Amino acid sequence: MEKYDYLIVGSGLFGSTFAHQATAKGRRCLVIDKRSHTGGNIYCEDISGINVHKYGAHIFHTNSKEVWEFVNGLVDFNRYTNCPIANYNGKLFNLPFNMNTYHQMWGVRTPLEAQSKIDEQRAEVLAMLDGHTPSNLEEQALSLVGRDIYRCLIKEYTEKQWGRKCTDLPAFIIKRLPVRMVYDNNYFNDRYQGIPIGGYNRLTEALLKGVDVHTDTDFFLSPYHEWRNFAQRLVYTGPLDQYFDYSLGRLDWRTVYFRTRVVDTPNFQGNAVVNYTSCQQPYTRIIEHKHFETFGNDVYKNPQTVVSEEYSTEYKPGMEQYYPVNDDKNNSMAEQYRAMAASEPDVIFGGRLAQYRYYDMAPVIEEVLKMSIP
């Protein structure tokens, strides 16, 4: 039986980046994935000549020069800048909250006018709190931006996202709500931002070049579950609780699903992402994938476009796990599982699922780059 230095469970960004770095150091790696493709949630599917983000919009952004140079050394990135739009009952607002948003909301034109309007509305809830710390998401949001922005752009959207009333959600979810006093629609503050030219599959292919890969292979339903027969060490990126056979219970997740369709028009909504913040629409946003990689009048070169309606729902076994539910129960259980993981010999737990933490893409890569790989 062929022996590897590492058996890597999962070909998402953590697993693929680890395989790349370990291979560069002369280690032999075998990557397995239960899906029929590599790349995890960054996988793109070609539909009508358009790279469709099968598992939702992924925009690479980072302040780390090291990470940016690393990924660009593998594949060139384009100039995509994330500037989502919010649609509230047919009225459009720029996101994140900035001077364009305040002008659209109130007609104000200067930062002083905008701040005055926000402070006027914040004063109402601050008086109600009477010095007390906000106890839920609604109080926290109102104390930051006031009633109008909360009502139109936060409340119903958040309740669709989490399936819970804002008064039942913890305040920390929205504690760092950005409130900008400049006309700047760039969602991220990071220095570097873009999407791989040709789609994320090219990044995954570059990371896994020279690595043995088996797809359609479930770690728990294959001989590889007895991993020591195949490798000296294990890199595990699957669900943390599943590794331990749910011995402490199942961790909760929120998930999303998509209804994707081809539309016979070259330009459906004029933007990659439009959030629907009213409960009148059951979906949270519509993604038009063409705009991630095609700019200006080039969008008209393809007479069709692909759009995905995104719906948020409670996770059930068999669905994809997206967002950890960071309430007291799940945080406590996750800490216990992490303590068990720390005592597992020759096993590295990495990535969103195996650490029960939400990660952007760049921090996942940065974590691997900083690792000392034996």
Side-chain angles (χ1 to χ4, degrees):
M1 184 64 68
E2 195 169 21
K3 195 86 168 180
Y4 292 87
D5 295 298
Y6 290 97
L7 172 64
I8 301 171
V9 179
S11 63
L13 267 181
F14 188 97
S16 295
T17 304
F18 188 97
H20 179 273
Q21 294 300 91
T23 300
K25 291 187 175 184
R27 309 295 186 264
R28 299 194 65 229
C29 298
L30 171 63
V31 175
I32 64 172
D33 201 298
K34 68 178 182 180
R35 292 173 174 171
S36 61
H37 59 76
T38 58
N41 281 9
I42 66 171
Y43 173 74
C44 292
E45 183 178 15
D46 186 322
I47 301 177
S48 295
I50 297 166
N51 288 315
V52 173
H53 294 204
K54 184 175 176 64
Y55 301 97
H58 284 79
I59 299 97
F60 199 93
H61 59 99
T62 182
N63 268 324
S64 169
K65 185 177 181 181
E66 178 188 12
V67 170
W68 187 244
E69 290 181 345
F70 173 76
V71 294
N72 276 270
L74 298 167
V75 60
D76 290 333
F77 276 62
N78 68 22
R79 66 169 182 82
Y80 178 80
T81 301
N82 192 30
C83 298
I85 300 291
N87 183 318
Y88 180 72
N89 291 331
K91 187 171 182 180
L92 302 181
F93 298 90
N94 288 107
L95 296 174
F97 308 142
N98 69 82
M99 284 301 302
N100 288 306
T101 320
Y102 314 139
H103 177 70
Q104 292 151 352
M105 182 73 68
W106 301 306
V108 297
R109 290 177 172 80
T110 68
L112 185 62
E113 291 174 328
Q115 191 64 61
S116 176
K117 191 69 176 179
I118 291 173
D119 289 344
E120 172 191 320
Q121 296 197 357
R122 290 177 65 242
E124 299 171 8
V125 71
L126 293 175
M128 179 191 72
L129 290 171
D130 193 26
H132 295 288
T133 302
S135 61
N136 56 56
L137 187 148
E138 178 168 283
E139 291 178 353
Q140 182 68 62
L142 287 169
S143 68
L144 289 171
V145 295
R147 66 177 182 275
D148 288 346
I149 292 176
Y150 172 70
R151 176 179 58 85
C152 295
L153 302 179
I154 298 175
K155 184 181 188 300
E156 295 172 45
Y157 182 82
T158 302
E159 291 178 350
K160 282 195 293 186
Q161 243 186 349
W162 290 98
R164 295 160 177 81
K165 297 292 184 183
C166 287
T167 50
D168 296 329
L169 289 168
F172 74 82
I173 291 178
I174 209 162
K175 207 161 190 176
R176 292 190 177 92
L177 193 66
V179 180
R180 298 178 182 171
M181 288 296 155
V182 291
Y183 287 92
D184 181 6
N185 298 325
N186 183 355
Y187 194 84
F188 300 117
N189 288 318
D190 294 314
R191 180 180 300 178
Y192 309 107
Q193 183 175 177
I195 287 174
I197 295 174
Y200 280 101
N201 295 356
R202 291 192 176 181
L203 175 60
T204 303
E205 290 163 4
L207 287 169
L208 293 176
K209 185 177 181 180
V211 178
D212 291 343
V213 179
H214 295 172
T215 54
D216 295 304
T217 304
D218 190 325
F219 175 65
F220 296 99
L221 300 176
S222 69
Y224 296 117
H225 196 216
E226 301 295 328
W227 60 269
R228 292 184 187 277
N229 295 329
F230 302 93
Q232 296 177 18
R233 297 180 178 88
L234 176 70
V235 176
Y236 178 76
T237 71
L240 177 61
D241 51 1
Q242 187 178 14
Y243 182 88
F244 295 103
D245 198 25
Y246 310 105
S247 58
L248 302 176
R250 289 179 180 267
L251 293 165
D252 294 326
W253 295 82
R254 286 292 288 179
T255 189
V256 295
Y257 65 93
F258 304 90
R259 290 179 177 168
T260 297
R261 66 185 189 275
V262 177
V263 182
D264 289 324
T265 181
N267 191 4
F268 178 77
Q269 63 186 18
N271 204 52
V273 180
V274 177
N275 291 357
Y276 284 79
T277 59
S278 167
C279 63
Q280 297 300 313
Q281 295 83 22
Y283 41 84
T284 56
R285 59 182 176 173
I286 294 180
I287 302 164
E288 187 174 3
H289 302 269
K290 174 185 285 188
H291 295 291
F292 290 128
E293 298 185 61
T294 312
F295 311 105
N297 287 330
D298 285 348
V299 300
Y300 294 96
K301 291 180 179 178
N302 187 333
Q304 294 182 313
T305 192
V306 180
V307 299
S308 298
E309 296 171 355
E310 181 174 323
Y311 298 79
S312 181
T313 188
E314 289 294 316
Y315 168 80
K316 293 179 182 178
M319 295 179 171
E320 300 293 344
Q321 294 138 310
Y322 275 80
Y323 305 108
V325 179
N326 294 126
D327 57 16
D328 291 341
K329 182 198 81 169
N330 285 285
N331 287 340
S332 175
M333 190 188 303
E335 278 304 311
Q336 294 176 69
Y337 275 128
R338 291 185 195 115
M340 294 166 66
S343 65
E344 282 287 295
D346 298 322
V347 182
I348 295 169
F349 292 79
R352 176 179 54 90
L353 297 177
Q355 296 182 15
Y356 196 67
R357 293 190 173 100
Y358 178 77
Y359 281 105
D360 285 326
M361 290 178 284
V364 171
I365 292 176
E366 187 170 20
E367 182 177 341
V368 178
L369 295 182
K370 290 180 177 179
M371 292 177 68
S372 176
I373 298 177

